[in-house]
Amino acid sequence: MPQPSPQSEVAFVLGGGGVLGATQVGMVRALLEHGIRPDLVLGTSVGALNGAMLAADPSLDTAAGLAELWAELAASAVFSGSVFGRAKTLMRHGTHLHSSDALRQLAAAHLPVRTIEELQVPFQCVAASIERATSHWFTAGPITEAVLASCAVPGLLPPVLIDGEHFLDGGLVHSIPVGRAVALGARTIYVLHVGRVEQPLRAPRFPWEVGLVAFEIARRHRFVEEMAALSDEVEVHVLPSGDPDTPLVTMRYRDASRVTDRIERGYAASARYLERSGTAG
């Protein structure tokens, strides 16, 4: 594990959430407009894609570029295709509904560098190693493959093979890696999530809620524990999403119709939060 760095004072931590990740674009814009820029960026799943672009150039130009990326994502073939096409992919491979080719092309087209080392701001993203059954942090090397590994949602996208090891979505092991930011020296942390952590859990009342609640506990518990263990020396800002009813789990993972709405809600809510808290760079 890399040693904590005194230069990593301010960290942006971007969690996972699939198409809900558009919310983070508005949060990024609000932070940058308030003069808040990261010394360290950590990303999980779709947060790895957003975070890598931010780490390449933490400026308002990148915030606009992220909005363009999500507009393209909404219109792209990343999760498109007919029912027959998805069934054909599943029958051919047996493990996933979609190819990762479209996402690879989209990421490569928008990321301005080829390796993590070339980014302006230190960046790390996490994925789940199948062979070792543990988390793996990508801190160097090809950035597109690292982002794809972190975004490899089980059942939707195939595992990503890197140096003889297979990786799945980082949300399986670190949904919102606040603890990693603290370990790397961050003392002020801004959490960019997709809205789910704002929704309190309740005991399931119907059979179909049992699995959803169990999944959310598994996804959320590490973040809750790490937040509870923070020392008084660490200041954490969990930015609001602005969405009053974010689903715990969305089965409409291909529905990008609300991308612009999520971006604007995330921006407005986060801007209000930063103004009221007096937080500014």
Side-chain angles (χ1 to χ4, degrees):
M1 176 178 175
Q3 293 298 311
S5 169
Q7 284 74 42
S8 301
E9 183 71 21
V10 178
F12 287 7
V13 176
L14 292 86
V19 72
L20 302 178
T23 304
Q24 295 173 348
V25 179
M27 294 174 173
V28 166
R29 177 183 160 199
L31 286 164
L32 296 176
E33 284 188 354
H34 282 75
I36 303 169
R37 282 163 173 74
D39 303 309
L40 171 69
V41 177
L42 302 179
T44 294
S45 194
V46 74
L49 177 60
N50 290 335
M53 281 194 63
L54 175 65
D57 176 23
S59 70
L60 286 172
D61 287 341
T62 294
L66 277 168
E68 293 175 2
L69 167 66
W70 276 87
E72 187 174 340
L73 185 66
S76 74
V78 172
F79 288 128
S80 65
S82 64
V83 173
F84 174 77
R86 298 195 299 274
K88 185 177 179 180
T89 301
L90 181 60
M91 290 177 63
R92 179 180 178 185
H93 298 283
T95 59
H96 53 275
L97 293 173
H98 303 279
S99 166
S100 59
D101 291 344
L103 183 58
R104 177 179 282 104
Q105 293 170 7
L106 189 67
H110 284 271
L111 290 170
V113 300
R114 293 186 176 182
T115 66
I116 293 174
E117 295 92 326
E118 296 175 80
L119 296 169
Q120 286 189 28
V121 177
F123 167 80
Q124 299 182 10
C125 65
V126 65
S129 166
I130 293 178
E131 285 81 2
R132 292 183 291 117
T134 189
S135 59
H136 177 87
W137 284 93
F138 291 94
T139 61
I143 191 167
T144 298
E145 293 305 304
V147 167
L148 284 175
S150 191
C151 291
V153 181
L156 298 185
L157 294 170
V160 175
L161 178 63
I162 300 176
D163 295 332
E165 190 170 2
H166 295 85
F167 296 97
L168 285 173
D169 192 281
L172 295 172
V173 286
H174 281 281
S175 62
I176 307 176
V178 169
R180 179 75 172 186
V182 174
L184 290 171
R187 290 299 173 263
T188 303
I189 301 171
Y190 293 91
V191 174
L192 290 73
H193 58 99
V194 301
R196 287 176 183 153
V197 295
E198 297 170 326
Q199 309 300 321
L201 293 178
R202 64 182 184 186
R205 297 173 298 170
F206 306 102
W208 58 85
E209 290 184 342
V210 175
L212 297 181
V213 172
F215 173 82
E216 186 60 19
I217 292 172
R219 195 192 70 84
R220 191 185 297 194
H221 82 279
R222 188 163 188 165
F223 170 67
V224 173
E225 291 174 354
E226 290 178 346
M227 289 290 288
L230 291 172
S231 73
D232 293 337
E233 299 176 351
V234 179
E235 181 180 353
V236 178
H237 298 273
V238 181
L239 298 180
S241 70
D243 193 332
D245 189 26
T246 303
L248 295 182
V249 178
T250 177
M251 299 303 176
R252 301 177 64 186
Y253 65 92
R254 296 190 300 136
D255 182 8
S257 61
R258 292 187 58 202
V259 161
T260 300
D261 180 57
R262 289 192 179 100
I263 291 174
E264 292 307 316
R265 284 178 179 269
Y267 168 74
S270 295
R272 285 194 299 269
Y273 170 86
L274 295 172
E275 289 162 5
R276 291 171 181 171
S277 65
T279 304

